[in-house]
Amino acid sequence: EFALQNIDLFKNYGGSFTASVITASNVQVSDGLLSVNLSNVVNNAKISGIAVFLQSSGGPVNNPPVVTKPANVTLNSGQS
């Protein structure tokens, strides 16, 4: 399992409005789903885009992504 912990994107990758590339090697997906879990520690960082590439010894495979809609979230007054 690939995991980054205590990563400060602002500090380590150049501040606001800066693209960052983080490469994960040796990630095994056995069920056809790649899960990405994020949690915020300070402020509300966000990911505006993500690219996932399959690398194999047999050459690149170009399968379309499968996007699933997350559950609905209700925010009450005072929440963000």
Side-chain angles (χ1 to χ4, degrees), residues 22-76:
I22 299 172
T23 303
S25 333
N26 212 15
V27 175
Q28 301 295 317
V29 177
S30 59
D31 61 358
L33 300 173
L34 175 65
S35 298
V36 177
N37 298 307
L38 306 170
S39 61
N40 66 318
V41 175
V42 176
N43 297 327
N44 291 308
K46 69 175 185 173
I47 291 180
S48 296
I50 186 168
V52 178
F53 299 94
L54 173 66
Q55 293 180 323
S56 67
S57 60
V61 176
N62 189 15
N63 293 326
V66 176
V67 178
T68 56
K69 180 184 175 208
N72 290 332
V73 175
T74 302
L75 296 177
N76 297 316

